[in-house]
Amino acid sequence: MKQDKNTFKPLQKNKKAYFNYEVIEDLECGIALVGTEVKSLREGRFSFADSYVTVTDRTLTLVGLTIQPYTHGNIHNHDPNRNRRLLAHKSEIKRLKRKVIEKGFTLVPTSIYLRGNLVKVQVSLCRGKQLHDKRAATKERDLNRDMRREVKQLQY
């Protein structure tokens, strides 16, 4: 079965990033992987916990993404906690670097997905939320949940 380049299969979303940060802008990047990392990603054996993106001179580096070793691998399995290079155009990297330095934004990976047979990372330019913003988001979510519950009970 040949995969189309436009098929989209989400592997995981970083829900904690959406709670802790206000997302300003999104960017799709490729990721440089080695060995059995792709197989582990397809199995869903990875974690976003405390991961972020750093901008150096000409590269984006994903720090803190944990990809567990492949279950059917051998002694040549990959290092689970290594830093991974993100692939983006030079102009996009310059623009992001300028915003991170001047305006104090943060780059956070918000989702990992398959586009065709390639692994892509959605990197978001974010601003940290204040504590009262987080409380308001939690309160709104709870109210919506209660309303859905009430509507569901009225239907029966």
Side-chain angles (χ1 to χ4, degrees), residues 14-134:
N14 190 354
K15 293 179 184 177
K16 194 166 189 170
Y18 286 105
F19 180 73
N20 290 330
Y21 299 100
E22 175 189 351
V23 175
I24 307 297
E25 182 182 333
D26 292 324
L27 172 70
E28 178 182 83
C29 297
I31 182 168
L33 299 172
V34 296
T36 55
E37 287 179 330
V38 176
K39 292 180 180 184
S40 290
L41 283 172
R42 284 181 183 269
E43 287 182 347
R45 296 175 46 82
F46 63 97
S47 171
F48 280 115
D50 300 328
S51 61
Y52 59 95
V53 177
T54 59
V55 183
T56 54
D57 293 332
R58 299 178 193 180
T59 61
L60 296 173
T61 306
L62 181 59
V63 179
L65 178 74
T66 303
I67 301 177
Q68 296 300 322
Y70 183 54
T71 53
H72 303 298
N74 55 20
I75 60 169
H76 301 294
N77 256 340
H78 60 274
D79 178 25
N81 295 318
R82 73 179 185 88
N83 296 340
R84 292 163 180 91
R85 186 166 172 248
L86 296 178
L87 310 171
H89 291 283
K90 189 191 318 185
S91 60
E92 292 173 340
I93 294 172
K94 283 183 182 178
R95 184 176 53 80
L96 289 175
K97 183 177 181 180
R98 204 173 317 118
K99 286 187 177 183
V100 167
I101 291 172
E102 291 175 4
K103 298 182 182 175
F105 288 121
T106 305
L107 290 172
V108 179
T110 50
S111 71
I112 293 184
Y113 53 90
L114 295 172
R115 183 172 299 282
N117 59 355
L118 301 174
V119 177
K120 300 287 185 175
V121 178
Q122 181 179 354
V123 176
S124 297
L125 190 66
C126 300
R127 180 185 302 127
K129 280 187 184 177
Q130 300 293 326
L131 182 60
H132 60 85
D133 293 334
K134 291 180 188 178

